[in-house]
Amino acid sequence: MSLRIGQVALRSGVTPRTIRYYEELGLLPASDREQGKHRTYTESDIERLKEVTRLRDLLGLSLDELRSVVVAEAVRADARRRFHASESPDERRAALEDALPHLETQIGLVRRREAELKELENDLVDRRKRVLRALREL
Amino acid sequence: MSLRIGQVALRSGVTPRTIRYYEELGLLPASDREQGKHRTYTESDIERLKEVTRLRDLLGLSLDELRSVVVAEAVRADARRRFHASESPDERRAALEDALPHLETQIGLVRRREAELKELENDLVDRRKRVLRALREL
DNA sequence: TGCTAAATTGACGTTCACGTAAAGATGAGG
DNA sequence: CCTCATCTTTACGTGAACGTCAATTTAGCA
């Protein structure tokens, strides 16, 4: 039931090279395996990778900068795991409270970007308005 | 009253090298000057350059892709010039009607990007909601 | 008109984000 | 157990987007 790098690559729209590179950069977790053995992944690894590429494409960050955002992803994923692994309400609460600030960070970044784009849009729409007005006045 | 490359660079937040490079790529118009003479610019060139860098930073395009968007900028700038240069309503109308579709293109690109970001934001906010709900239910 | 800061062209260098090739190892299916 | 498609590591290659250096030229100002 475990996936290998080729399948993961295909299903997340990247190449195996990219996956290894991201692992090297710390963008993806280096699942512990003995030297030379094949990397194995799960469905949730695919989701995670898709998230990373989405953030990469939509925020204007270098992979290095992205790492700090995505280490957050790792923490969140780990928090999820801990949440489901445990029955103790205290541990579950702790897991959730770990995940939350990273979500906030990501939401914040996305919103800032949205705001910048909205500003640009407004500028462009303003200009169009002026052009249209000028056309009507001829 | 004409600016040189150093001033333009400073005031638009890039380096002279970048300006020359963009000119070479066709992102900026190559003002006609004799070989070896200094490049000269106007205030509106600064605005234009700022526009280009803004689009560069906010849309996820290569400089090559950006060129087609920005050739639009050139056409628009030229349309403006023609508009102000002429008294003939016909020519003025033509100028405005040239500028319009390029504005539309840019607005379209910006809006698509905004939509993608909004989708991402919604996903993130959804997750946060689930985390918060789970916390309340403990 | 002479000085000097700033600009010009040309060329090579650099960083990022991977691509690609080679030589050998792994592991799922028959 | 064998096969062979897929994976592993290592290493060099590449395109984009500039940085940087050098030798020379230009142009604003005293």
Side-chain angles (χ1 to χ4, degrees):
Chain A
M1 266 294 58
S2 72
L3 304 161
R4 294 192 306 183
I5 201 168
Q7 277 303 307
V8 174
L10 248 130
R11 291 182 49 195
S12 38
V14 303
T15 67
R17 171 59 166 130
T18 298
I19 297 183
R20 295 198 195 95
Y21 184 51
Y22 284 13
E23 177 186 320
E24 187 185 331
L25 290 186
L27 273 169
L28 299 178
S31 57
D32 45 347
R33 64 194 162 95
E34 299 159 51
Q35 162 81 353
K37 298 293 169 84
H38 292 180
R39 290 169 178 80
T40 63
Y41 301 91
T42 68
E43 292 292 330
S44 80
D45 286 324
I46 295 188
E47 290 316 304
R48 182 172 156 70
L49 178 49
K50 281 190 192 167
E51 273 297 309
V52 170
T53 61
R54 192 142 78 125
L55 290 169
R56 177 197 65 186
D57 292 339
L58 289 180
L59 308 179
L61 309 175
S62 71
L63 295 184
D64 242 40
E65 297 169 310
L66 198 59
R67 181 180 26 224
S68 51
V69 180
V70 153
V71 161
E73 274 289 313
V75 173
R76 275 188 39 216
D78 185 60
R80 270 184 76 80
R81 201 191 40 66
R82 274 156 49 214
F83 179 87
H84 287 101
S86 169
E87 293 289 316
S88 147
D90 277 4
E91 287 179 20
R92 291 195 144 194
R93 175 175 294 280
L96 292 174
E97 282 172 351
D98 269 9
L100 207 51
H102 297 298
L103 262 174
E104 302 285 2
T105 301
Q106 295 184 20
I107 292 175
L109 280 172
V110 169
R111 288 200 171 142
R112 250 194 39 204
R113 195 97 181 145
E114 284 182 271
E116 288 168 354
L117 272 164
K118 191 63 190 173
E119 213 176 316
L120 177 53
E121 189 200 336
N122 287 339
D123 286 5
L124 292 173
V125 168
D126 264 26
R127 284 189 220 160
R128 181 176 60 178
K129 195 176 298 179
R130 276 198 289 280
V131 169
L132 288 173
R133 180 147 27 82
L135 267 176
R136 277 199 313 279
E137 284 171 5
L138 278 182
Chain B
M1 263 299 51
S2 72
L3 305 161
R4 294 193 304 184
I5 200 168
Q7 276 304 308
V8 174
L10 245 118
R11 292 183 48 196
S12 38
V14 301
T15 67
R17 171 62 166 128
T18 298
I19 297 182
R20 294 196 196 96
Y21 183 51
Y22 283 13
E23 177 185 319
E24 187 185 331
L25 289 187
L27 274 169
L28 299 177
S31 59
D32 46 349
R33 64 193 162 93
E34 300 160 51
Q35 162 81 352
K37 297 295 171 80
H38 292 179
R39 290 168 178 78
T40 64
Y41 301 91
T42 69
E43 292 292 330
S44 79
D45 286 323
I46 295 188
E47 291 315 303
R48 182 173 156 69
L49 178 48
K50 281 189 192 166
E51 273 297 310
V52 171
T53 61
R54 192 141 78 125
L55 290 169
R56 178 197 63 186
D57 292 339
L58 289 180
L59 307 180
L61 308 175
S62 71
L63 295 184
D64 242 41
E65 297 169 310
L66 198 59
R67 179 177 31 220
S68 49
V69 180
V70 153
V71 161
E73 273 290 312
V75 173
R76 276 186 40 215
D78 184 61
R80 270 185 76 80
R81 200 192 40 68
R82 275 156 49 214
F83 179 86
H84 287 101
S86 169
E87 292 289 316
S88 146
D90 278 5
E91 287 179 20
R92 291 194 144 196
R93 174 173 296 278
L96 291 174
E97 282 172 350
D98 270 7
L100 208 49
H102 298 297
L103 263 174
E104 302 286 3
T105 300
Q106 295 185 21
I107 292 174
L109 280 172
V110 169
R111 288 198 171 144
R112 251 196 36 207
R113 196 100 181 140
E114 284 182 89
E116 289 168 354
L117 272 163
K118 191 63 191 172
E119 214 177 315
L120 176 53
E121 189 201 336
N122 287 338
D123 286 5
L124 292 173
V125 167
D126 264 27
R127 284 189 220 160
R128 181 176 61 178
K129 195 177 299 179
R130 276 197 290 279
V131 168
L132 288 173
R133 180 148 27 83
L135 266 175
R136 277 199 314 279
E137 287 172 4
L138 277 184

